[in-house]
Amino acid sequence: MALNKKTVDDINVKGRRVLVRCDFNVPLKAGEITDDTRIKAALPTINKLIADGGKVILCSHLGKVKNGPNEGESLAPVAKRLSEKLGKEVNFVSDYNVTGEAATKAVEAMKEGDVVLLQNTRFRGEEETKNGEAFSKELADLADDYVCDAFGSSHRAHASVAGVTKFITAKGGSNVVGYLMQKEINFLGNAVENPVRPFVAILGGAKVADKLNVINNLLEKCDTLIIGGGMSYTFQKALGYEIGKSLCDDTKLDYCKEMLEKAKSMGKEILLPLDAVTIAGFPDPIDAPVECETYDTENMPADREGCDIGPKTIALFSEKVKTAKTVLWNGPMGLFENPALAVGTEAVAKALAETDATTIIGGGDSAAAVNQMGFADKMSHISTGGGASLEFLEGKELPGVYAADDK
């Protein structure tokens, strides 16, 4: 997966119109941004293009846009926050057509160093469909060059992510990656292809099915694979243990046995929990107080549900992290949204924060947990893409990365 893609440092944008696909899919509450991490992550690339005299045209999706365009998913709040962060006005084109006459006029009026933000790309249904050719061309018509800096969307072959590149190439422009994309490629790519050993991978979260190919691929690469969270109970059941009412995917029991066998035959280590923090019933709401009892794996009662790793497991996993030189973590160790069931996830985050190893957090819930628990600044890299990180770690080709020009 050696990816040698052209970056913003490889092109001269002075006086040129540059379309930048960002990931501004930020959480909103009553029209206010509650976490602007993704906006901050885009700033280095945007500032570089401004400083180099480019005419910077930004685009992004926001939300899932199920019932057509609506003000609740407009990028207007992003334009406002971005203007504050850049210290200059961002001209927001609010037109729901995204690439219509208003966008064309705004771009025509641009001077070097100006910034325009287009409306939510998903307001155009063609963004996500196989019929995105026309929309891809309209986006390309606005620009001379294209920069993909939206790793969180790079696993989708959408018009604004990959489709646009064909038309930029046709007009003699460059398709490159931004600093954020480059960082993701470097950290995730190197962790998987060329890790400093020992390499410990930690997988958690609820579903085995989501991580099937990741387990298989990481076993080939890592020295130790730690499995916690809801997915660990399917492995426990595959080994013949009672797991009570814990999460389990019965269709994947054979697969789990196969992976345990594969690890053994390769001389690799799979570590599973030794004990579990259990509850009698699922909390409602999710963060409601709940009574917990801890049981060893071999003594789990049939009427309890495992929702976090216990102290013996915390000690085992933390000890293993201490010996590592590279650690990759994707997926929490339990129901971390509940304070009583967040202990395991917090302990793993703390172990990573205290090690000298290169620590890579694979997006999604793990990234949320690390941010929430105040360990973010202690990690080497926190991926901005949940689904994209997983597909990257599976060894899949990501359309948004693949479409960029090679050096």
Side-chain angles (χ1 to χ4, degrees):
M1 209 198 296
L3 295 165
N4 203 12
K5 295 295 182 181
K6 283 189 176 171
T7 76
V8 284
D9 289 330
D10 297 312
I11 56 171
N12 178 7
V13 299
K14 186 166 175 58
R16 289 173 71 82
R17 301 167 304 161
V18 190
L19 179 69
V20 188
R21 177 52 158 97
C22 299
D23 183 2
F24 292 146
N25 187 21
V26 294
L28 293 171
K29 199 170 184 179
E32 292 293 319
I33 297 169
T34 56
D35 180 355
D36 63 5
T37 305
R38 287 179 168 169
I39 293 174
K40 287 193 280 209
L43 296 176
T45 296
I46 298 169
N47 279 321
K48 156 80 174 162
L49 295 169
I50 292 170
D52 287 358
K55 298 172 181 179
V56 187
I57 307 149
L58 308 173
C59 68
S60 173
H61 78 282
L62 174 66
K64 293 199 159 45
V65 190
K66 289 284 179 255
N67 306 310
N70 66 89
E71 271 311 293
E73 287 167 311
S74 164
L75 284 176
V78 173
K80 186 172 164 238
R81 183 68 57 92
L82 200 51
S83 297
E84 291 164 11
K85 297 279 178 203
L86 291 171
K88 66 183 299 166
E89 195 208 340
V90 171
N91 182 9
F92 176 54
V93 181
S94 59
D95 180 8
Y96 285 179
N97 191 43
V98 186
T99 51
E101 194 185 340
T104 308
K105 283 188 170 157
V107 172
E108 278 171 1
M110 292 179 86
K111 298 184 180 66
E112 290 184 9
D114 281 355
V115 182
V116 161
L117 173 64
L118 303 178
Q119 185 54 280
N120 188 342
T121 53
R122 288 194 184 169
F123 282 4
R124 284 285 292 274
E126 301 97 319
E127 161 78 329
E128 300 179 78
T129 65
K130 298 241 178 350
N131 323 324
E133 290 276 296
F135 185 40
S136 298
K137 184 174 186 311
E138 286 169 33
L139 285 165
D141 285 346
L142 293 172
D144 302 305
D145 301 300
Y146 172 74
V147 178
C148 188
D149 210 23
F151 183 73
S153 300
S154 64
H155 58 315
R156 307 196 187 284
H158 289 171
S160 68
V161 176
V164 62
T165 59
K166 179 171 82 172
F167 297 100
I168 292 286
T169 300
K171 57 163 54 173
S174 298
N175 296 295
V176 304
V177 297
Y179 291 136
L180 185 60
M181 284 280 279
Q182 185 58 40
K183 194 173 174 224
E184 297 275 11
I185 291 168
N186 289 350
F187 272 100
L188 290 170
N190 287 339
V192 177
E193 294 306 321
N194 195 19
V196 181
R197 298 188 180 279
F199 173 25
V200 174
I202 306 170
L203 291 179
K207 296 176 184 161
V208 182
D210 288 358
K211 300 199 173 141
L212 286 183
N213 300 333
V214 181
I215 294 170
N216 201 9
N217 200 39
L218 284 178
L219 261 187
E220 307 271 341
K221 320 279 186 188
C222 70
D223 302 297
T224 299
L225 180 59
I226 291 176
I227 294 177
M231 63 191 295
S232 67
Y233 300 106
T234 305
F235 278 87
Q236 306 278 20
K237 188 168 179 179
L239 288 169
Y241 291 112
E242 169 66 62
I243 60 164
K245 297 191 292 185
S246 307
L247 272 179
C248 183
D249 185 343
D250 286 332
T251 65
K252 299 293 179 275
L253 294 171
D254 287 342
Y255 175 83
C256 291
K257 287 177 191 163
E258 206 183 297
M259 288 301 106
L260 292 163
E261 280 306 314
K262 178 175 176 168
K264 201 181 289 180
S265 69
M266 292 176 75
K268 303 287 178 84
E269 184 178 38
I270 289 186
L271 290 185
L272 292 165
L274 303 173
D275 54 356
V277 177
T278 68
I279 57 177
F282 210 77
D284 181 23
I286 201 163
D287 56 355
V290 64
E291 280 187 36
C292 303
E293 292 173 9
T294 303
Y295 292 93
D296 287 351
T297 299
E298 55 265 33
N299 300 325
M300 170 91 80
D303 62 345
R304 305 280 300 176
E305 180 178 356
C307 282
D308 194 12
I309 54 173
K312 291 179 183 173
T313 308
I314 287 172
L316 173 72
F317 290 1
S318 301
E319 201 48 50
K320 186 51 72 174
V321 165
K322 275 184 201 159
T323 66
K325 288 280 186 281
T326 305
V327 187
L328 171 75
W329 178 24
N330 185 296
M333 296 293 103
L335 194 68
F336 79 100
E337 297 89 344
N338 188 299
L341 301 166
V343 180
T345 300
E346 188 156 349
V348 168
K350 187 167 183 284
L352 265 72
E354 288 172 356
T355 178
D356 294 330
T358 297
T359 49
I360 300 156
I361 312 300
D365 283 342
S366 324
V370 166
N371 280 320
Q372 201 176 299
M373 292 164 179
F375 292 118
D377 59 340
K378 302 281 197 300
M379 305 301 163
S380 310
H381 178 62
I382 299 177
S383 179
T384 51
S389 304
L390 278 179
E391 291 196 17
F392 200 81
L393 296 172
E394 278 177 39
K396 281 189 183 171
E397 235 166 39
L398 306 187
V401 178
Y402 185 69
D405 300 340
D406 292 319
K407 280 197 180 180

